[in-house]
Amino acid sequence: MLFFVVLGVVLIGVHGSENSSDSDLLLRIKSELDDPNGVMEGWSLESNVCSWYGLTCSYEQVVGLNLSLSGLSGSIPRDLSRLSSLQTLDLSSNLLNGVIPPELGRLRSLRVLLLYSNYVSGKIPPEIGLLKNLQVLRLGNNMLLGEITPSIGNLSELRVLGLSYCQFNGSIPAEIGNLQHLISLDLQNNSLSGLIPEEIRGCEELQNFAASNNMLEGDIPSSMGSLSSLEVLNLANNTLSGSIPASFSGLQNLKYFNLLGNRLSGNIPFELNRLSQLEVLDLSRNKLSGAISLLNTRLTNLTSLVLSDNALIGSIPSNFCLGDSNLQQLLLARNKLSGRFPLELLSCSSLQQLDLSDNGFEGELPPSLDKLENLTDLALNNNSFTGVLPPEIGNLSNLENLFLFGNMITGRIPVEIGKLQRLKSIYLYDNQMSGHIPTELTNCSSLTEIDFFGNHFSGSIPDTIGKLKNLVLLQLRQNDFSGPIPPSMGYCRRLQFLVLADNELSGSLPPTFRFLSELSTITLYNNSFEGPLPSSLSLLKNLKIINFSHNRFSGSISPLTGSNSLTALDLTNNSFSGPLPSSLATSRNLSRLRLAYNRLNGSIPSEFSQLTDLNFLDLSYNSFTGEVPTQLSNCTKLEHFLLNNNQLTGTMPPWLAGLQQLGELDFSSNNFHGRVPAELGNCSKLLKLSLHSNNLSSNIPWEIGNLTSLNVLNLQRNNLSGPIPTTIQQCQKLYELRLSENFLTGSIPAELGGLSELQVILDLSQNLLSGEIPSSLGNLMKLERLNLSSNQLRGEIPPSLGKLTSLHMLNLSDNHLGGQIPSTFSRFPLSSFMGNDQKPCGPPLVPCSESEGQAKRQLSNAAVIGIIMAIVLTSTFICLVMIYAMLRMWCNWRRRVSISNLDANGGFDQPNKIGEEKTRWGLLGEKWRINVGEGSSAHFSQIYFRRNGVVPYCTIRRMCSSIRGGALGVRCTASKIRMSFAGGPLLSLS
């Protein structure tokens, strides 16, 4: 008896010392963890260890530590490995970091290790394989990486292995097949690759295998068909290929089977119909083909069948469904199914979701569709269904979502639609429906979304639209609706998207719009709305997108500037007037501002510099004045900057070079002067540069060649001078180049022939370009229009231009060109070549052979005329000699008579002298006309002087000074005065 008493005391002492040792160890573990929630505050030597929070004891030994969901942080304490009796360690769902201590491999009694849902990193230590008694290992939802250690295959007692939602890579270790007692294997959401190991067939008791969302590849091992205990198989979203093994028919306990998002091909095995326990089958987003071979008559427990996004053909099997079916979800979207609506489905009365969208079904919808009385979602969109929407649709009392868009349905919306009290969404867009919207539709009080876009609906919007208190989306765009917006629409207070564009609506906006406080998007473009905007629109603070373009609104745009959330405002083509409100700058998120084709005036507010997210600014076709504010240089995200057709002044801002995202710059048709900024060469993303119709002068900067992305360059109708910069050849993407109506000089750069993408036009007309046309222009094979007219080009038309077979407009007129016209140009009119004084020849002008013949004939005629003139001159000379002799005889006789008369009269006869002076200057009343060439600006048409006399120099000067612009040169002969003018032809007096 004494022996047993002593033994008891000894045992109590031993246990007490072990308990004391555990308490010290646990207190050290506590000190290494951050415990913001104080779950370990009760850990104290003043109380028994086994009463401490989270601890489980057996025979005074700590066998369990559970501190999950405690908010603990810090590293996993290595001293945990010294709790040698520990069987359960649960530190899951905390904020622990660091690595898994290899020392945990010493816990040989451990059966459950739960470290999931922390921030643990690093690799799984191979020492984990020493835990021979471990049955549950869950390390998922951490930051673990690297390969899964093969030592896990040593855990022969393991039942549950959870390694999901980490960053593991490499392949699934073949050693997994050693885990004969494994029930659950969860590897999903990692980066595992390679093949599924054949050895997995060794996991004979496996019930759950999830490896979705990895990068597994290759065929699915057919040996997996021997895992007869398998209930869940999820291999979704990998890159598995090949066919679905027919051996899977052996998975008699399978309930959930998911292979979506792989690259599986071939037919769906008919053998899958043997899986009588199957409840969910998802084979969507693969490359499966052939007919649907699955029958709900055999898969009696099937509730969800998803075969969407494959290449299945045919239709639904005739014996697909029975009356006692449990099928609730049938999704067959985006296949190649065809035929009429499958009536076989009407036997699946349990169906709640039916999706046949994006197939090739056709024909009319059956009136017996109402047999699917449990249907909540019906998606038949993007097929070729015809006919009308059957009135029986109103009997589907559980229907919540109706998607019929993208078909060829005609007729009206049946009034029976108003019976669908649970209807939330109705999408009928892109059909051919017509008629009015039935008032009964507004009885569907649960409606949140209505989309009737792209039909032929007409009439007015129902006055009772305000009854739809839950309406979020109203899309009626591109129909034939007319009349005003009903005031009751303002009572759809949850409305966020109002899209009424492309109709025939009219009138003004109702003042009740002020109640649409949740409105985010409103588009009314392409209607006939008019009048000023209600000032109460400024109360709509959630507006993000406003498009009122192409209407007849007038007045101020100020009511639309009240939302700080605004991202896009388009009021193009209205009659808005007045200045641009600076308050618009408070919408700091504004990215698109389009106000073109209005009557806005005043200056551009400098406050717009606050719109730093602006990428599209279009103020064109208004009456803005003043200079472009320097502050706009802050809008560095601008991609489209359009100020054309205003009355802006000043110089082109050099700070434009800071807009590095600029793709389109159009400042044309204003009053800008000065030079084209060379700094624009820094806008490397510029696609369109249009500065035409201004007063810009000086040279075109050579830096223009830095715009290597440029598609359009238009500098016409300015006062630019100097040569065309050869650096333009670097703009290899140019397809439109317009430099006409300037004062450019020099020759046409041969480098322009390297612009192989030039297609729309090359226009260098009405300049002062000289030299020959470079033959390299014949390389512009895509060019459609070429205009080099009204320059001073010389030489022949290069034969290489004949290769420009895409040309449909050519103008080489008013130059000094000559030679033979390329034969391919014969299709162009005479006007393309007129006004060249070197007389080019060939079709459409006179043939070159005829031109040469005319020259020869003219030479022969000249010879004949020369002979005749020689004879006439000789005869004239003889006659003159004879007349001279006779006159000398007469003069001598006359002198003798005059002397005698002088002596008698005493002087000259003055009246006779005056008459002789008049005779010397000729007939003073004879008219001489001035022939004025086109383009000159003379203001007189007639001058009087003697035909054969000499015009005094002072008279010529008076004539020159009366011609505006002044003559550059005057040449006089006995019968002609020629004057040349700057920029115009000669003026001839003859």
Side-chain angles (χ1 to χ4, degrees):
M1 183 68 179
L2 179 62
F3 170 78
F4 289 107
V5 171
V6 172
L7 180 62
V9 171
V10 171
L11 289 174
I12 292 172
V14 170
H15 288 160
S17 63
E18 288 181 357
N19 196 295
S20 173
S21 175
D22 283 349
S23 62
D24 293 337
L25 182 59
L26 289 166
L27 289 175
R28 281 201 299 274
I29 291 171
K30 173 186 175 181
S31 67
E32 294 180 27
L33 295 171
D34 186 8
D35 180 18
N37 297 328
V39 296
M40 293 184 289
E41 284 183 358
W43 287 21
S44 170
L45 294 176
E46 296 177 358
S47 59
N48 187 279
V49 169
C50 296
S51 66
W52 291 1
Y53 175 83
L55 294 182
T56 302
C57 293
S58 176
Y59 298 104
E60 299 297 325
Q61 290 182 332
V62 177
V63 296
L65 174 59
N66 184 352
L67 295 175
S68 65
L69 291 168
S70 298
L72 302 177
S73 59
S75 300
I76 299 174
R78 296 179 183 272
D79 285 336
L80 287 170
S81 62
R82 298 176 61 187
L83 296 172
S84 57
S85 300
L86 205 60
Q87 299 177 16
T88 299
L89 174 58
D90 187 355
L91 298 178
S92 62
S93 301
N94 281 291
L95 304 173
L96 300 174
N97 53 37
V99 299
I100 299 174
E103 291 83 356
L104 293 185
R106 300 173 186 170
L107 297 174
R108 303 302 171 85
S109 299
L110 202 62
R111 296 181 180 180
V112 178
L113 176 57
L114 306 178
L115 300 178
Y116 64 87
S117 297
N118 278 286
Y119 294 93
V120 178
S121 58
K123 298 182 177 181
I124 300 176
E127 288 81 1
I128 288 291
L130 301 174
L131 302 176
K132 299 293 186 179
N133 293 307
L134 200 63
Q135 297 179 6
V136 178
L137 175 60
R138 297 184 61 190
L139 306 178
N141 196 17
N142 274 290
M143 301 173 68
L144 296 168
L145 44 75
E147 297 186 357
I148 299 173
T149 177
S151 67
I152 284 182
N154 299 329
L155 304 178
S156 56
E157 299 298 321
L158 201 63
R159 303 291 193 273
V160 176
L161 176 58
L163 303 178
S164 62
Y165 292 93
C166 288
Q167 301 172 30
F168 293 120
N169 55 30
S171 58
I172 301 174
E175 289 78 3
I176 290 287
N178 299 334
L179 306 179
Q180 297 181 4
H181 301 296
L182 195 65
I183 295 174
S184 177
L185 174 59
D186 190 355
L187 304 176
Q188 58 189 342
N189 290 85
N190 282 287
S191 298
L192 297 172
S193 58
L195 306 177
I196 298 174
E198 288 278 355
E199 290 81 358
I200 202 166
R201 66 179 181 274
C203 302
E204 298 174 352
E205 299 179 13
L206 195 62
Q207 298 177 12
N208 176 16
F209 179 28
S212 60
N213 297 295
N214 280 285
M215 295 183 289
L216 300 174
E217 56 191 7
D219 294 350
I220 301 174
S222 58
S223 59
M224 289 181 62
S226 64
L227 300 175
S228 57
S229 299
L230 206 60
E231 297 181 3
V232 174
L233 176 58
N234 187 355
L235 301 177
N237 295 319
N238 282 283
T239 55
L240 298 169
S241 56
S243 58
I244 300 173
S247 62
F248 276 19
S249 61
L251 305 178
Q252 293 296 310
N253 291 301
L254 198 62
K255 296 180 180 179
Y256 181 91
F257 188 14
N258 192 343
L259 297 178
L260 82 87
N262 281 284
R263 299 176 182 175
L264 299 170
S265 57
N267 295 346
I268 300 173
F270 184 79
E271 290 81 358
L272 294 185
N273 285 299
R274 299 176 186 171
L275 304 179
S276 57
Q277 300 300 315
L278 200 60
E279 297 176 2
V280 175
L281 175 59
D282 191 343
L283 306 179
S284 62
R285 286 174 47 208
N286 278 285
K287 299 179 180 180
L288 299 172
S289 57
I292 296 175
S293 57
L294 299 171
L295 302 174
N296 193 227
T297 51
R298 297 194 180 187
L299 303 173
T300 53
N301 288 303
L302 196 65
T303 60
S304 177
L305 176 59
V306 185
L307 304 177
S308 304
D309 296 284
N310 280 289
L312 300 172
I313 59 173
S315 188
I316 305 297
S318 58
N319 55 345
F320 179 77
C321 219
L322 289 177
D324 60 350
S325 165
N326 291 312
L327 193 64
Q328 298 177 11
Q329 185 183 54
L330 178 60
L331 309 181
L332 305 177
R334 292 171 294 281
N335 278 284
K336 298 180 180 179
L337 302 173
S338 58
R340 303 179 72 84
F341 183 91
L343 298 177
E344 295 77 14
L345 294 180
L346 301 181
S347 300
C348 302
S349 57
S350 57
L351 265 181
Q352 296 178 11
Q353 294 178 316
L354 175 60
D355 188 354
L356 304 180
S357 62
D358 294 274
N359 279 287
F361 290 110
E362 57 188 4
E364 299 184 359
L365 299 178
S368 53
L369 198 60
D370 58 354
K371 288 184 177 180
L372 301 176
E373 56 187 9
N374 292 304
L375 210 58
T376 60
D377 298 272
L378 177 60
L380 305 178
N381 49 284
N382 293 326
N383 281 284
S384 298
F385 289 116
T386 57
V388 300
L389 187 59
E392 288 79 4
I393 199 82
N395 297 330
L396 298 175
S397 56
N398 292 303
L399 197 63
E400 296 180 2
N401 298 294
L402 177 60
F403 302 108
L404 297 177
F405 60 88
N407 282 285
M408 293 183 284
I409 297 174
T410 57
R412 298 171 176 266
I413 300 174
V415 296
E416 289 79 2
I417 204 85
K419 296 191 295 182
L420 302 179
Q421 293 297 302
R422 297 184 180 181
L423 192 65
K424 295 179 180 178
S425 302
I426 177 169
Y427 282 75
L428 303 179
Y429 66 83
D430 283 337
N431 277 286
Q432 300 174 19
M433 302 185 73
S434 57
H436 296 190
I437 296 178
T439 304
E440 288 79 2
L441 182 66
T442 62
N443 294 332
C444 302
S445 56
S446 299
L447 268 174
T448 60
E449 299 175 1
I450 297 176
D451 193 339
F452 294 166
F453 165 80
N455 280 280
H456 303 293
F457 291 118
S458 58
S460 58
I461 300 172
D463 290 335
T464 54
I465 193 75
K467 293 168 62 177
L468 300 178
K469 305 295 185 184
N470 296 305
L471 198 62
V472 173
L473 166 68
L474 179 60
Q475 162 72 278
L476 303 180
R477 183 187 159 207
Q478 211 172 96
N479 280 282
D480 298 316
F481 291 111
S482 58
I485 297 176
S488 71
M489 190 177 289
Y491 302 114
C492 301
R493 296 178 183 245
R494 296 186 179 178
L495 198 61
Q496 296 179 24
F497 304 94
L498 177 60
V499 184
L500 306 179
D502 294 311
N503 279 286
E504 299 174 9
L505 298 167
S506 58
S508 57
L509 298 186
T512 54
F513 265 33
R514 66 182 182 275
F515 301 129
L516 302 178
S517 57
E518 297 185 23
L519 197 61
S520 170
T521 298
I522 177 169
T523 60
L524 306 179
Y525 57 88
N526 289 339
N527 278 287
S528 297
F529 292 112
E530 59 188 3
L533 301 174
S535 58
S536 57
L537 290 183
S538 60
L539 300 175
L540 306 183
K541 302 299 184 182
N542 290 311
L543 276 173
K544 293 182 179 179
I545 298 174
I546 302 174
N547 192 337
F548 289 1
S549 63
H550 302 280
N551 278 284
R552 301 172 187 169
F553 288 114
S554 59
S556 173
I557 69 171
S558 295
L560 299 177
T561 63
S563 172
N564 294 336
S565 304
L566 202 60
T567 61
L569 175 62
D570 191 343
L571 306 179
T572 303
N573 202 357
N574 279 281
S575 296
F576 289 110
S577 59
L580 203 52
S582 57
S583 58
L584 193 57
T586 59
S587 300
R588 301 294 176 84
N589 297 317
L590 194 63
S591 61
R592 294 174 66 87
L593 178 59
R594 306 192 66 179
L595 304 176
Y597 292 95
N598 278 284
R599 300 174 183 174
L600 301 170
N601 54 33
S603 58
I604 300 173
S606 59
E607 290 83 357
F608 277 19
S609 61
Q610 302 171 29
L611 302 176
T612 53
D613 285 335
L614 203 62
N615 62 48
F616 203 126
L617 177 59
D618 185 359
L619 304 180
S620 60
Y621 292 94
N622 280 286
S623 298
F624 290 112
T625 55
E627 298 188 3
V628 182
T630 306
Q631 292 85 346
L632 290 184
S633 60
N634 293 334
C635 303
T636 55
K637 294 183 181 180
L638 267 177
E639 297 176 14
H640 303 268
F641 197 3
L642 312 179
L643 299 180
N644 52 292
N645 294 87
N646 279 285
Q647 300 169 24
L648 298 168
T649 56
T651 58
M652 285 288 299
W655 51 259
L656 290 171
L659 306 181
Q660 294 295 304
Q661 304 302 315
L662 206 58
E664 181 181 14
L665 178 64
D666 193 343
F667 278 21
S668 59
S669 298
N670 279 286
N671 296 313
F672 292 111
H673 64 271
R675 64 185 183 92
V676 177
E679 293 85 351
L680 283 178
N682 297 326
C683 299
S684 58
K685 295 184 179 180
L686 203 60
L687 301 176
K688 177 182 178 182
L689 176 59
S690 185
L691 306 177
H692 70 83
S693 305
N694 279 288
N695 298 314
L696 300 173
S697 58
S698 190
N699 295 352
I700 301 174
W702 65 266
E703 289 85 355
I704 213 82
N706 296 336
L707 304 178
T708 54
S709 298
L710 204 61
N711 297 146
V712 176
L713 176 60
N714 190 343
L715 302 178
Q716 64 186 13
R717 299 193 195 97
N718 278 289
N719 297 318
L720 300 171
S721 58
I724 298 173
T726 57
T727 54
I728 286 184
Q729 67 172 320
Q730 298 167 203
C731 305
Q732 286 292 307
K733 297 181 180 179
L734 266 180
Y735 61 78
E736 182 176 341
L737 177 58
R738 299 174 187 263
L739 303 177
S740 62
E741 300 182 58
N742 281 288
F743 294 99
L744 300 175
T745 57
S747 59
I748 299 175
E751 289 82 358
L752 293 186
L755 300 175
S756 57
E757 296 301 315
L758 209 57
Q759 178 178 349
V760 177
I761 192 171
L762 172 59
D763 189 355
L764 307 179
S765 63
Q766 299 188 51
N767 279 288
L768 300 174
L769 298 172
S770 57
E772 297 184 350
I773 299 175
S775 59
S776 62
L777 295 189
N779 298 327
L780 306 178
M781 301 301 293
K782 298 180 181 179
L783 194 62
E784 297 176 354
R785 290 185 288 172
L786 175 62
N787 193 347
L788 304 179
S789 64
S790 299
N791 278 289
Q792 299 174 17
L793 301 173
R794 297 184 177 277
E796 295 186 355
I797 300 173
S800 62
L801 295 190
K803 298 186 297 182
L804 303 181
T805 54
S806 297
L807 277 183
H808 58 74
M809 191 283 283
L810 173 67
N811 195 347
L812 303 178
S813 63
D814 295 313
N815 281 288
H816 304 297
L817 301 173
Q820 184 171 355
I821 298 172
S823 58
T824 54
F825 286 178
S826 61
R827 66 187 187 277
F828 295 111
L830 292 172
S831 57
S832 297
F833 310 99
M834 298 300 288
N836 282 292
D837 52 15
Q838 298 302 311
K839 305 297 181 185
C841 61
L845 303 178
V846 295
C848 292
S849 58
E850 182 179 332
S851 177
E852 293 173 0
Q854 286 178 350
K856 291 178 181 178
R857 286 194 296 273
Q858 289 173 356
L859 181 62
S860 177
N861 292 338
V864 172
I865 292 171
I867 295 171
I868 294 172
M869 289 297 294
I871 295 172
V872 170
L873 289 173
T874 302
S875 302
T876 303
F877 177 76
I878 294 172
C879 292
L880 289 174
V881 170
M882 294 176 64
I883 292 171
Y884 176 76
M886 293 176 65
L887 285 174
R888 287 295 300 269
M889 294 172 61
W890 183 81
C891 285
N892 290 334
W893 175 80
R894 180 65 177 169
R895 186 180 300 112
R896 289 193 295 270
V897 174
S898 296
I899 291 172
S900 63
N901 288 338
L902 181 59
D903 293 337
N905 297 328
F908 291 101
D909 188 350
Q910 295 299 323
N912 288 340
K913 185 177 180 180
I914 295 173
E916 186 178 11
E917 186 73 11
K918 290 181 181 180
T919 302
R920 186 167 66 87
W921 281 101
L923 303 174
L924 295 177
E926 186 172 352
K927 295 183 178 180
W928 289 72
R929 294 187 176 272
I930 301 173
N931 299 321
V932 183
E934 182 182 356
S936 63
S937 53
H939 296 288
F940 52 88
S941 61
Q942 294 178 342
I943 268 184
Y944 301 91
F945 58 90
R946 178 179 171 85
R947 179 185 297 272
N948 295 316
V950 178
V951 180
Y953 179 72
C954 59
T955 304
I956 295 174
R957 291 298 300 270
R958 285 198 301 273
M959 290 162 53
C960 294
S961 63
S962 65
I963 300 174
R964 187 169 60 199
L968 294 180
V970 176
R971 185 173 61 188
C972 303
T973 64
S975 62
K976 181 180 291 185
I977 298 175
R978 293 177 61 82
M979 301 181 185
S980 61
F981 297 86
L986 295 177
L987 179 144
S988 301
L989 308 180
S990 58

